[in-house]
Amino acid sequence: MPQNPAQRSKLIDRGLKTKYAGPTAQVSPDTSLEWWRRILPVLTSHRLTFFIAISLSFVSLFFQTLIPNYLNYALTGLISHHGRSLNHDVAWIIGIGIVTGITGVISRNYVFTTAYNVEADLRSLIYEHMTWLSFSFYDRVQSGQLISRANSDIRSVQMYTTFAPLIIVQLFIGVLAFFFMLRINVELAFIAISVMPFLYLIGLRMRQVMFPISWITQARLADVATIVDENINGVRVVKSFAQENAEVNRLADASERVTWAYVKDAQLRGVWAPWIQNLPQIGLVLVLLFGGWMVYRGTLGVGAILAFNAYLLMLQAPFMMLGQLVMMGQRAKASAGRIFEILDEHSEIVEQPEASALDHVSGKVTFDHVQFEYANGTKVLEDFTAEIQPGETVALVGRTGSGKSTVARLLTRFYDVTGGAVKIDDQDIRNVTLHSLRDHVGVVMDEPFLFSVSIRDNIAYGRPEASLEEVVAAAEAANAHEFIVRLPDGYDTVVGERGYTLSGGQRQRIAIARTLLTNPPILILDDATSAIDVHVETSIYQALTSLLEHRTTLVIAHRISTISLATRVLVLENGRVAASGTHEELMATSDLYNEILSHDMTTEVSE
Ligand code: ATP
Ligand code: MG
């Protein structure tokens, strides 16, 4: 749910090949409303199916309550007029039964259609919103937990919003059944219903006892899922430290804890379920006892006892569900709260309403007294000032953790500066559209993420319409073409999850090709060649030099071979530019520069 509808349509136009309309309704942004009022628009966007579901379920249950009445009528008639044919009554009962059945099937169909549509809408709203949230949000939350939690929360809200009205229909039908019982015999009606409050109380108590256990079970299942997930994603680490046994034990522990919860659940169920199941039988016994006595005295027909039996069974469900309704409500409220936590999270990076698109960029980049600290309070930049001329290649050098990658993240507006400004062609990047900014600034990171698709599709990620020739040209510039054609399926080779079937250097080269293909006027290479050996790196930069000519390039690197490509070097220390100049100048004048380089020279020699 982006703040700006124009942004959203842009996302849809650009990123998604199939036309995705998205949910028609949004969760109300008004946080002062009750939780269900906020969800209501999503539900009312499915009002037609929902209305059909509710009304048909009402019709179905209504007809169901007529059946015992007919039974009573038929049986009493049979006994008082000997020899009276039952054909007529049987036909009626069968007819009503068929109507009940058909409406029941159709209503159930609509109930589930509505329920799953509501669920799908909520899921889309959440995921769509999450794609819009800024990096700072992902720094704060564990995204894996968030997604798994969102799933169960969506389910519990969906259950309540669609099934609560159905339970209310059931309750209403219960009242109707009681009304019919009253009409047959008032005293017996009250006797029959006398056990129901106990059924309600026991049902409520049972859920109170069982609720914490079901909660514990969910949490422990999530623990198991986390361990399994870590083991699969971290399999290389687990194996290289020979920790397989320890991991198996960890999993066994977690799994044992799940078993305990399940067994506890079964035990409690074992204790409570007989009460719930047998209490209505006591009602039946009471009906038989008092009803029989009344029949004996001639104040009641035999058919009435049969009808009462049937009505009692009908009343059982609403009374049990009443407790469930309360429980489901509490749970849905808590879940909705967590869903709102995500939906109410505003992206810190927002586009100004009057933002204009970057156009005809010459490529001048200015860092104007930039201050920056991360949300957790880590101060990174104090007073970072630098100007990079169009077409210039500048190297940014500094100790590890000095903030080089942070500078790159500020230029792409992954984060906003906390002071000063970042400008492109003298325009504050906060005043341009995000889409155009990211089209103009290409970044290659040191740990590139590849998708499990073909190499060609990975390279063409930012420009899916690019021709094979363009993809090959980009791969050649990134020195990747040679190894790609040697792969079993060449450009059609599908890479493994996160690109793990490729070497680190190969992944980096594909990432460079991916960015080059979008042809950005401003290019940032953040340790983009750190996993590539020195000789290949040199040839990449030779291939790149022609490409870098008309581009403003910021190279973050540790190796002298890379740094010497730059026309100018900026040394970052204590959040500001501590020194700048050509490589040779700095070698001659800056102790800091020499210190940083000498450290990295040693690593280079050992490679
Ligand atoms: P390296 O050479 O190791 O890549 P770097 O110069 O690129 O280092 P940055 O990644 O910019 O360093 O990090 C600068 C500082 O900011 C570090 O102290 C780091 O711990 C901190 N930092 C980085 N990313 C975050 C984040 N998302 N949230 C909070 N602090 C962060
Ligand atoms: Mg870095």
Side-chain angles (χ1 to χ4, degrees), residues 139 374 376 378 380 399-406 409 415 558:
D139 288 346
Y374 283 102
N376 64 3
T378 312
V380 184
R399 293 196 172 94
T400 174
S402 56
K404 304 179 294 295
S405 299
T406 305
R409 290 176 202 137
Y415 297 86
H558 293 108

Side-chain angles (χ1 to χ4, degrees), residues 239-250:
K239 284 195 182 300
S240 57
F241 286 94
Q243 289 298 309
E244 289 98 332
N245 276 335
E247 288 299 325
V248 168
N249 285 335
R250 204 153 75 95

Side-chain angles (χ1 to χ4, degrees), residues 177-186 189 192 308 311-312 315:
F178 185 60
F179 171 74
F180 280 129
M181 287 163 92
L182 282 177
R183 265 192 39 181
I184 298 173
N185 187 298
V186 176
F308 265 74
Y311 280 131
L312 261 185
L315 278 173

Side-chain angles (χ1 to χ4, degrees), residues 19-40:
K19 281 283 170 235
Y20 163 69
T24 45
Q26 304 280 328
V27 167
S28 161
D30 184 353
T31 49
S32 66
L33 292 178
E34 288 258 16
W35 72 268
W36 60 271
R37 294 274 306 272
R38 294 191 65 187
I39 302 268
L40 204 59

Side-chain angles (χ1 to χ4, degrees), residues 518-538:
T518 62
N519 196 24
I522 298 167
L523 182 66
I524 306 171
L525 299 168
D526 183 357
D527 265 344
T529 48
S530 58
I532 298 171
D533 75 61
V534 183
H535 306 289
V536 179
E537 188 190 33
T538 317

